[in-house]
Amino acid sequence: MSQLREGFKNKKRIVVKIGSSSINHPESGGMDFSRIELLVRQLADIHNSGKDVILVSSGAIAAGKYAIGYGRDRSITHELTIPQKQACAAIGQGRLMNIYEKFFTEYNQLPAQVLMTKDTVLNDTNRMNAANTFKALLDMKVIPIVNENDTIATHEIEIGDNDSLSAMVTSMVGADLLILLSDIEGLYTDDPNTNPDAKFIPEVSKLTDEHFSMSKDTTGSGMGTGGMSTKLNAAYIATKSGADMVICSSRDLTVLSKIIAGEEIGTAFASDKDTDFDLVNFISQ
């Protein structure tokens, strides 16, 4: 076990991000209750061990699409417009949160919904208010569930950037570990789907331009929209803010407890805290 992985055992505040493709059935687009229940059980157990837990979840648009039939009607092949996606988010947001609340309640945990956009971080007053809300919730031993507010913002819809949103949350709350659950195993030297010689990278001690050149703006599913480039941007924000980060596959959701136990899963990025790092300036570029 590396020193980096060994340190995961002592993390006190953990942000977990999960994408749409990880909590929905790929065949129908409907929510996968078994996987969501397992995710919640893992988070509840981590929380019971005395750690702060924050979940950043995609899935509102997918839930809304399924509710009104877009996900089930295979005759609909055209891409939805931004307003249509926002409408689906408005429909799906409550449905998604209702499922999370049901499962968290079964495990005697109290969740709370926090809706954010990029502007929440860019605006000084909004950022301070959000940070204060997170602090109060965590002091109350509540598990915040962060969703992008797609009903009023289009930036995250257009680029599928919930990865960076989770890193912004990590920076805002002073978390010491960010785990990105995805449909990919981690960072490779090239796209393993097209290059059989691509090599897996288990640990990154410091992000360089070479790592960013390895990124691909593709995903393994038609449901998720964030590619490797957004995950590396998230890694940059998280590590410069003083947190370690892991990218790993969500195929087996028990990886959460295994990662915190120090097991060699996914690609781990070591904290590279920079006291001069300006989150607002970085994301406004």
Side-chain angles (χ1 to χ4, degrees), residues 45 104 120 162:
D45 194 46
F104 272 113
T120 306
N162 236 10

Side-chain angles (χ1 to χ4, degrees), residues 6 20 56 58 74 88 91 112 122 156 201 220 246 253-254 281:
E6 180 72 30
S20 298
V56 178
S58 301
R74 294 312 183 191
C88 287
I91 296 167
L122 291 176
E156 287 78 8
I201 302 174
V246 176
L253 289 174
T254 63
N281 182 61

Side-chain angles (χ1 to χ4, degrees), residues 18-46:
I18 193 160
S20 298
S21 61
S22 300
I23 58 173
N24 289 276
H25 290 287
E27 301 83 6
S28 68
M31 283 186 278
D32 189 329
F33 297 132
S34 295
R35 289 181 59 77
I36 296 174
E37 191 270 342
L38 179 55
L39 169 68
V40 168
R41 189 198 319 164
Q42 290 281 301
L43 295 174
D45 194 46
I46 293 169

Side-chain angles (χ1 to χ4, degrees), residues 5 19 41 45 50 81 97 124 159 175 228 240 257 269 278:
R5 303 276 186 172
R41 189 198 319 164
D45 194 46
T81 65
M97 190 62 197
D124 292 342
I159 65 175
M228 181 54 73
K240 290 299 181 183
S257 58
F269 297 80
D278 188 331

Side-chain angles (χ1 to χ4, degrees), residues 25-30 65-66 69-78 223:
H25 290 287
E27 301 83 6
S28 68
K65 286 173 63 176
Y66 185 79
Y70 279 133
R72 290 168 286 177
D73 187 349
R74 294 312 183 191
S75 67
I76 300 175
T77 58
H78 63 274
M223 196 172 301

Side-chain angles (χ1 to χ4, degrees), residues 207-281:
L207 275 169
T208 65
D209 290 340
E210 182 180 4
H211 294 114
F212 281 95
S213 70
M214 300 172 188
S215 66
K216 301 290 181 181
D217 291 319
T218 57
T219 65
S221 72
M223 196 172 301
T225 53
M228 181 54 73
S229 62
T230 67
K231 291 171 176 55
L232 288 181
N233 281 333
Y236 185 84
I237 294 171
T239 56
K240 290 299 181 183
S241 300
D244 296 330
M245 194 186 94
V246 176
I247 300 173
C248 65
S249 170
S250 63
R251 189 177 299 111
D252 175 12
L253 289 174
T254 63
V255 294
L256 289 176
S257 58
K258 295 175 182 176
I259 288 171
I260 295 173
E263 293 190 25
E264 304 278 340
I265 294 171
T267 299
F269 297 80
S271 168
D272 184 28
K273 187 173 178 60
D274 182 355
T275 55
D276 294 326
F277 176 66
D278 188 331
L279 174 63
V280 174
N281 182 61

Side-chain angles (χ1 to χ4, degrees), residues 162-224:
N162 236 10
D163 297 318
S164 291
L165 181 61
S166 65
M168 294 177 206
V169 172
T170 298
S171 180
M172 288 174 59
V173 304
D176 43 17
L177 178 61
L178 168 61
I179 302 175
L180 298 185
L181 294 170
S182 182
D183 50 8
I184 54 178
E185 302 288 341
L187 179 64
Y188 286 81
T189 54
D190 198 3
D191 187 347
N193 295 314
T194 58
N195 182 0
D197 295 324
K199 292 181 174 56
F200 181 73
I201 302 174
E203 290 189 7
V204 175
S205 58
K206 186 179 180 68
L207 275 169
T208 65
D209 290 340
E210 182 180 4
H211 294 114
F212 281 95
S213 70
M214 300 172 188
S215 66
K216 301 290 181 181
D217 291 319
T218 57
T219 65
S221 72
M223 196 172 301

Side-chain angles (χ1 to χ4, degrees), residues 104-121:
F104 272 113
T105 300
E106 288 182 358
Y107 287 99
N108 200 32
Q109 303 289 335
L110 183 62
Q113 184 179 50
V114 180
L115 291 174
M116 291 180 59
T117 67
K118 182 178 179 181
D119 289 335
T120 306
V121 183

